[in-house]
Amino acid sequence: MDFSVKKLASGAGVFFTRAVQFTEEKLGQAEKTELDAHFENLLSRADSTKNWTEKILRQTEVLLQPNPSARIEEFLYEKLDRKIPSRITNGELLGQYMVDAASEFGPGTSYGSTLIKVGEAQRRLGAADRDFIQSSMINFLTPLRNFLEGDWKTILRERRLLENRRLDLDASKTRLKKAKAAEAKAAAEQELRVAQTEFDRQAEVTRLLLEGISSTHINHLRCLHEFVEAQATYYAQCYQYTVDLQKLLGRFPGAFVGETNTQVPPSGVSPSAATIPVVPAVVGPCNPSAPSMTFTEVSPPSTGTRKARVLYDYDAADSSELELLADELITVYSLPGMDSDWLMGEKGNKKGKVPVTYLELLN
């Protein structure tokens, strides 16, 4: 019991001494041991790494999961060390609704069969989204979080210990200055040597940890590359799924005939197929009754002929159209009064109409 009381009193005395030293430094009544410029740069670099890692982590979480309630739920599961329940993506849910609607409207109807095709594509898009989120969580967010909850906390603990050692050192310097008697000076000098040794040892430990931030940057750089790769794969999948869907819908030219008074699109292509962009573009809301959309990137020439490369296979709907194979080169030109979504195409001795959106115009 006596030992515990003495230890408690000793700890309280050390805390009081540090508090007095800290206060006097703030008031300008005591000197403060300054760290060298290199050490200060290491501290600043570490703080910057921690701050930006937190911001990147939080914003990536928002990107992957925009729903704040879902993010809080995932955070709680993670803190409780429990497996996060599998959650259906918005794309998968939309696809399921479309397929269910098709069952009620009749899968044999044009609307119903199209709902099924679009719904299945939405499911694939949703699955790609889920794969991207999982990959990013494992390969990008987890390393960032491990740094903040592991290495950074170790650095922070050692920095606090270094600050305490510095306060002890400066308090010893102050006591040495105030000592008058020879015996008091000798005791103060001995105390100062011990404090200096402990400070130097702690400074070295902290410096090594701070220099390890360079390794952290290298690790985060590798994770960043993996994140970009996952993102590129995800967007490539999404683009391919939507292009395939547009091509699939384009093979049913009579899909809208007989069910509504909607304007019938040009023979051989549905409204959705006529909107396949040659390059990524922002497409507005679907409006079947609106005029066909055109893209400045592939505007047909008013006069003369041009070469064009075929982007996708195209099956001619009738004898007035020209069948196309991906990557082949054809000659195209426009005729007076011709729909702007179409061009006349020639290859060999064959001639016929071709949809502009299936072409990349050259020269």
Side-chain angles (χ1 to χ4, degrees), residues 72-271:
I72 294 174
E73 180 183 356
E74 292 173 359
F75 175 78
L76 292 176
Y77 272 102
E78 182 180 340
K79 289 302 180 184
L80 295 173
D81 197 21
R82 296 174 58 184
K83 183 179 179 181
I84 300 175
S86 179
R87 182 183 290 109
I88 188 172
T89 64
N90 292 328
E92 290 172 312
L93 184 59
L94 174 60
Q96 187 61 52
Y97 285 167
M98 288 183 172
V99 172
D100 292 345
S103 298
E104 184 169 336
F105 297 147
T109 65
S110 295
Y111 184 36
S113 62
T114 302
L115 275 173
I116 292 175
K117 296 178 179 67
V118 177
E120 291 298 334
Q122 296 304 317
R123 283 176 170 176
R124 289 194 290 270
L125 289 169
D129 186 30
R130 185 176 60 253
D131 291 342
F132 168 59
I133 292 173
Q134 291 176 347
S135 175
S136 299
M137 291 286 290
I138 296 172
N139 298 323
F140 187 56
L141 290 186
T142 297
L144 298 186
R145 192 175 289 112
N146 287 344
F147 164 72
L148 293 172
E149 297 179 356
D151 293 349
W152 176 252
K153 287 186 176 180
T154 299
I155 291 174
L156 198 60
R157 182 176 64 249
E158 297 301 326
R159 285 176 64 175
R160 289 170 179 167
L161 187 55
L162 177 62
E163 176 66 8
N164 289 336
R165 294 288 182 263
R166 186 198 63 75
L167 290 171
D168 293 341
L169 174 63
D170 290 336
S172 298
K173 292 179 180 178
T174 300
R175 279 193 291 272
L176 179 59
K177 289 181 179 179
K178 294 180 179 180
K180 302 299 182 181
E183 184 177 347
K185 284 186 177 181
E189 287 174 352
Q190 176 61 25
E191 183 183 347
L192 177 59
R193 283 192 293 269
V194 173
Q196 184 69 59
T197 300
E198 292 181 350
F199 172 78
D200 292 341
R201 183 185 299 115
Q202 185 59 38
E204 180 64 15
V205 171
T206 307
R207 182 184 64 80
L208 292 174
L209 288 173
L210 293 173
E211 288 178 346
I213 290 294
S214 296
S215 298
T216 298
H217 285 189
I218 294 174
N219 182 42
H220 289 182
L221 175 62
R222 177 183 58 79
C223 297
L224 188 61
H225 278 281
E226 293 184 0
F227 173 70
V228 172
E229 288 296 326
Q231 199 171 40
T233 299
Y234 167 62
Y235 285 125
Q237 287 177 324
C238 292
Y239 176 73
Q240 189 59 52
Y241 290 154
T242 52
V243 167
D244 290 344
L245 177 60
Q246 288 181 309
K247 292 169 65 176
L248 179 63
L249 297 179
R251 296 195 181 104
F252 297 86
F256 296 90
V257 179
E259 293 197 7
T260 66
N261 294 325
T262 305
Q263 180 182 349
V264 178
S267 176
V269 60
S270 70

Side-chain angles (χ1 to χ4, degrees), residues 41-51 152 159 210 213:
N41 287 336
L42 290 176
L43 289 172
S44 176
R45 187 163 175 257
D47 288 335
S48 180
T49 300
K50 178 260 185 182
N51 292 335
W152 176 252
R159 285 176 64 175
L210 293 173
I213 290 294

